[in-house]
Amino acid sequence: MANESGKDNFLKLIESNKKIIFKICNSYCHNSIEREDLAQEIIYNLWKSGKSFNADYKFSTWMYRVALNVAISFHRKENKRHTTTLNEHMLNIEDNVATSAVSEENINLLQKFINALKELDRALMILYLEEKTYSEIADILGISETNVATRISRCKEKLKQNFSQLNN
């Protein structure tokens, strides 16, 4: 029975944090079949790694870390360039009728530019756009807060340059 209770708790945690899995799958896979495969792989690895979860930390932080590691490995195995799929919800952009065409164009450009980043930088930008703190990002990715700050600054600069090159 204890095993059944553990399974139920795990399923509840997955259900309450499923958006994390969806966002990561959408960021690393460009078609629904690959997204489903990656989601299954993430859930399997979460289940398999459950004993390593430290209750002193938030479950979502641990889940991000496992999910991003699985996604990066999955991406490398596929050995393909994948399209990063961001949407208005992820970017927290209000859908305004007057600016929706401009916003959609900017989102598509941002998708393209983030997709061109290295895997770790892509993961950093996903977490940054999720409004995670530098401390949370550092915990999730296993790097220092200073490294997070430096990399995000460089990524933002690179993205700005990409946008400014289009306007010239």
Side-chain angles (χ1 to χ4, degrees), residues 125-138:
M125 293 311 295
I126 290 168
L127 295 169
Y128 176 76
L129 292 171
E130 279 286 310
E131 299 181 356
K132 297 292 182 190
T133 66
Y134 286 5
S135 175
E136 289 173 313
I137 295 171

Side-chain angles (χ1 to χ4, degrees), residues 15-153:
E15 181 63 29
S16 65
N17 291 282
K18 67 183 174 187
K19 288 181 182 180
I20 292 171
I21 296 171
F22 292 145
K23 288 172 188 166
I24 291 173
C25 290
N26 285 332
S27 297
Y28 281 87
C29 298
H30 69 281
N31 71 47
S32 61
I33 294 170
E34 288 180 347
R35 282 191 294 269
E36 288 174 19
D37 288 347
L38 178 55
Q40 288 177 359
E41 189 71 22
I42 289 170
I43 292 169
Y44 170 74
N45 276 276
L46 287 167
W47 176 258
K48 189 172 77 171
S49 305
K51 292 179 179 144
S52 71
F53 173 64
N54 183 343
D56 293 339
Y57 298 100
K58 288 173 47 179
F59 179 79
S60 61
T61 300
W62 176 77
M63 186 174 184
Y64 259 117
R65 181 176 225 168
V66 171
L68 282 169
N69 286 334
V70 171
I72 289 169
S73 295
F74 184 88
H75 177 71
R76 287 179 182 158
K77 285 179 190 172
E78 294 296 314
N79 198 19
K80 296 177 186 175
R81 299 276 302 158
H82 295 287
T83 304
T84 304
T85 305
L86 301 176
N87 58 38
E88 288 84 3
H89 300 291
M90 194 166 171
L91 295 174
N92 296 322
I93 294 175
E94 291 187 35
D95 189 18
N96 185 325
V97 175
T99 61
S100 65
V102 172
S103 294
E104 187 171 334
E105 181 180 336
N106 285 339
I107 289 169
N108 290 336
L109 286 171
L110 185 58
Q111 288 175 319
K112 177 183 172 188
F113 297 148
I114 289 176
N115 186 51
L117 296 174
K118 294 177 183 175
E119 293 165 350
L120 179 60
D121 292 339
R122 186 184 316 171
L124 278 165
M125 293 311 295
I126 290 168
L127 295 169
Y128 176 76
L129 292 171
E130 279 286 310
E131 299 181 356
K132 297 292 182 190
T133 66
Y134 286 5
S135 175
E136 289 173 313
I137 295 171
D139 286 343
I140 291 166
L141 297 177
I143 59 177
S144 70
E145 285 185 55
T146 304
N147 197 352
V148 169
T150 302
R151 284 178 163 277
I152 286 176
S153 177

